[in-house]
Amino acid sequence: MDFNKAVEVCLKKHARNTDTFVRYGTAGFRDRAETLDYIMYRMGLLATLRSCVKQAAIGVMVTASHNPEEDNGVKLIDPLGEMLEESWEVHATDLVNSGDADLVTVLKNIVGNNKCPDNFQPVVLIARDTRQSSASLARSVFDGVEAIGGKCKDYGVLTTPQLHFLVHWYNSHDNQFADTSQYYNRITNAFKDLRGQELCRDNYTNQLVVDCANGVGAVAMETFIEKLQDSLAVELVNEGKGGKINYMCGADYVKVQQKAPQVHQGKNLMVPGVRCASLDGDADRIVYFYTDLDGEFHLLDGDRIATLIAGYLCDQLSASELDIKLGLVQTAYANGSSTKYITQEMKIPISCAKTGVKHLHKLALNYDIGVYFEANGHGTVLFSEKAQKTIEDASVNPGLNDTQKKSTLCLKMMLDLINQTVGDAISDLLVVETILHARGWSIVDWEKLYNDLPNKQLKVKVKDRTVISTTDAERKCITPANLQNVIDILVSKFTNGRSFARPSGTENVVRVYAEADTQANADKLAYEVAGSIYDLAGGVGERPSLPQ
């Protein structure tokens, strides 16, 4: 590899024009689009090196997910469709923060610390979301790949989960490039096989409204609708025809604001009883919602989705009598009522992970079947090799009775319906619709599984977020020294009180979460904890206080 060529191209087209330090995190790099050119170029370089080291294709996704339209970002995808190995996040951070003249040294250090064969042709698969800035930023990634001899495959506009799927496909099918038809056909065929010919059942109707956040999910949903034909009657809103990506719509907006998205085409989503779902800007998150006859908004988030899926899979495992153990992974943001219901009513073991899907994904691998979801709606199901082989072998076992055979076949089809590489909002949507159909449930029936504790989330601006450090999967603060004691005292004043604080991974804010028996008490607890953080952790601007 000619690293001098990398410097030459960098200085000519992609020079670093800032001294601002940035760090590769769970979301990769993310910032205002106009600041990202040099970062994209260097991620093209890094993806090429990663491909060479792993002797496999690597993916590069240009997206800012749930961020505002004026932002953008980039994240790398490892050979099995998983997120970038954590040890390489350090390489990404070092490479992006090095001076232009130091590129050769940093690139050599990365190669020096890893085996990089000379006779391997690096391959990088690239895709982007629908932001106006994405095409030019993807071109910067191409330049980085080509500068050191890598081969690019441009997939154009895709959802993030689609690129994860295609990277895994290439590396698990003798280096054969797939097109998106493999993705669509696998998922839609499994969906139709699981549902059969019966469109509606008991309280379930096959009508659904999907808020696409004015993002790339609309493109994918249109193809799914065409392939599903009459199996699911989907109406799309916020398709990107006049609205801005994630602006007052999308999964993050619905989850945080706890209200229905605005619809730029003028449709009213507040019609009582209509089952609705919101994707985020790159279609890796999903939440459901509806409005009741009294006009009250009801949110069914990632906790609800995880509970629904885990319950269904447990029933199938029980009926099939297969020796497969299932577990569920949550974060501290999971509603306390969901945790109680899962452990006490469903008898399913739970692990608590730090925020960020890479942490949940890792813990989910400890189970034969690991269901993981963040409360924000980002998650999936992982089947271990043991679980997949057990299911595949049982599906052709002539000795099974009818009940065992039916449940085993359901599990086998779930292997195709679920995108195991990463949280996939559209795959998750079809899993939810499959289960509601099988149960004969309306969205109201689904919600009746348990009652959420009222909760509140806030952000506190601070001078330096690193003064906050946490332990116990971010549920306890270590520093500042007295902060956790203050939080514990505040929590003790509220019935069913729970609160934690954690520093943001991308900005100088501290995120606060609080639960209590009523919404008023949850709000009060959240603002009291936020005020304490402001006082003890160097808050800036106006001190948080409960609105009057």
Side-chain angles (χ1 to χ4, degrees), residues 169-396:
W169 180 282
Y170 178 92
N171 291 314
S172 59
H173 288 77
D174 298 323
N175 300 340
Q176 295 297 313
F177 291 109
D179 58 39
T180 53
S181 65
Q182 282 91 344
Y183 169 85
Y184 288 116
N185 291 341
R186 178 172 175 169
I187 292 174
T188 53
N189 289 341
F191 177 76
K192 288 187 284 190
D193 288 345
L194 276 162
R195 288 170 66 98
Q197 298 300 313
E198 189 179 11
L199 299 182
C200 300
R201 179 179 293 176
D202 298 330
N203 293 334
Y204 176 85
T205 64
N206 73 329
Q207 295 180 326
L208 175 69
V209 178
V210 178
D211 159 32
C212 297
N214 294 308
V216 68
V219 179
M221 279 302 304
E222 287 173 354
T223 302
F224 271 111
I225 290 170
E226 180 182 341
K227 289 182 173 291
L228 290 171
Q229 298 176 347
D230 296 329
S231 296
L232 193 63
V234 180
E235 180 178 358
L236 302 182
V237 297
N238 293 332
E239 304 153 88
K241 299 172 182 176
K244 295 177 65 176
I245 295 174
N246 298 318
Y247 179 68
M248 301 186 76
C249 61
D252 190 62
Y253 174 86
V254 173
K255 170 63 178 173
V256 174
Q257 300 299 325
Q258 299 197 20
K259 62 183 180 182
Q262 285 194 4
V263 178
H264 302 286
Q265 295 92 335
K267 180 177 177 61
N268 180 14
L269 292 189
M270 303 296 285
V271 177
V274 174
R275 188 169 73 257
C276 304
S278 281
L279 317 180
D280 69 337
D282 69 335
D284 64 3
R285 295 185 185 185
I286 182 172
V287 296
Y288 273 74
F289 63 93
Y290 75 97
T291 303
D292 65 23
L293 292 172
D294 296 322
E296 183 178 351
F297 173 82
H298 295 253
L299 173 69
L300 291 88
D301 60 9
D303 298 338
R304 297 273 185 183
I305 295 171
T307 304
L308 181 74
I309 294 174
Y312 176 82
L313 292 176
C314 274
D315 287 351
Q316 303 308 318
L317 289 171
S318 177
S320 67
E321 301 182 32
L322 297 178
D323 182 21
I324 296 174
K325 306 300 181 187
L326 182 144
L328 198 147
V329 184
Q330 296 182 320
T331 71
Y333 284 103
N335 194 278
S337 288
S338 74
T339 305
K340 182 178 179 180
Y341 178 79
I342 292 162
T343 55
Q344 297 184 12
E345 300 295 327
M346 301 176 70
K347 308 299 183 184
I348 295 175
I350 287 182
S351 300
C352 187
K354 291 172 61 177
T355 303
V357 288
K358 67 181 181 184
H359 302 299
L360 286 88
H361 191 100
K362 184 177 181 179
L363 287 183
L365 292 170
N366 293 331
Y367 300 106
D368 294 336
I369 299 178
V371 181
Y372 74 83
F373 272 84
E374 293 188 292
N376 62 27
H378 195 174
T380 190
V381 183
L382 303 182
F383 293 81
S384 68
E385 289 186 9
K386 171 198 168 183
Q388 293 186 57
K389 186 176 188 306
T390 300
I391 293 167
E392 294 283 356
D393 289 348
S395 69
V396 294

Side-chain angles (χ1 to χ4, degrees), residues 154-171:
D154 178 15
Y155 276 105
V157 173
L158 293 180
T159 70
T160 293
Q162 286 176 324
L163 184 60
H164 281 259
F165 178 93
L166 293 170
V167 170
H168 178 268
W169 180 282
Y170 178 92
N171 291 314

Side-chain angles (χ1 to χ4, degrees), residues 17-135:
N17 55 4
T18 178
D19 292 327
T20 302
F21 183 86
V22 293
R23 187 183 304 278
Y24 191 104
T26 299
F29 292 110
R30 202 172 290 177
D31 208 334
R32 299 282 290 195
E34 62 268 20
T35 70
L36 292 172
D37 175 75
Y38 78 99
I39 292 176
M40 296 292 177
Y41 174 72
R42 292 168 189 230
M43 287 304 94
L45 299 173
L46 187 71
T48 309
L49 295 185
R50 181 69 174 162
S51 174
C52 193
V53 168
K54 299 300 290 185
Q55 297 188 58
I58 298 297
V60 179
M61 185 69 200
V62 178
T63 182
S65 188
H66 59 278
N67 278 39
E69 186 167 304
E70 56 268 22
D71 290 351
N72 218 318
V74 59
K75 46 190 173 184
L76 272 60
I77 301 169
D78 259 359
L80 296 180
E82 74 273 48
M83 301 179 77
L84 180 66
E85 182 183 311
E86 200 163 356
S87 64
W88 274 65
E89 293 180 7
V90 178
H91 292 321
T93 300
D94 289 344
L95 184 59
V96 164
N97 290 290
S98 64
D100 294 340
D102 299 324
L103 272 183
V104 170
T105 300
V106 176
L107 292 170
K108 286 183 176 179
N109 285 341
I110 295 172
V111 172
N113 291 327
N114 298 276
K115 294 180 179 179
C116 193
D118 294 330
N119 60 348
F120 179 77
Q121 170 68 66
V123 177
V124 179
L125 314 185
I126 302 174
R128 63 185 188 272
D129 69 15
T130 52
R131 295 165 199 268
Q132 290 187 356
S133 59
S134 290

Side-chain angles (χ1 to χ4, degrees), residues 483 487 490 499-501 512 524-534:
L483 179 57
I487 293 175
L490 292 173
S499 184
F500 67 90
V512 176
K524 185 176 181 182
L525 175 57
Y527 276 100
E528 289 186 1
V529 170
S532 298
I533 291 167
Y534 182 94

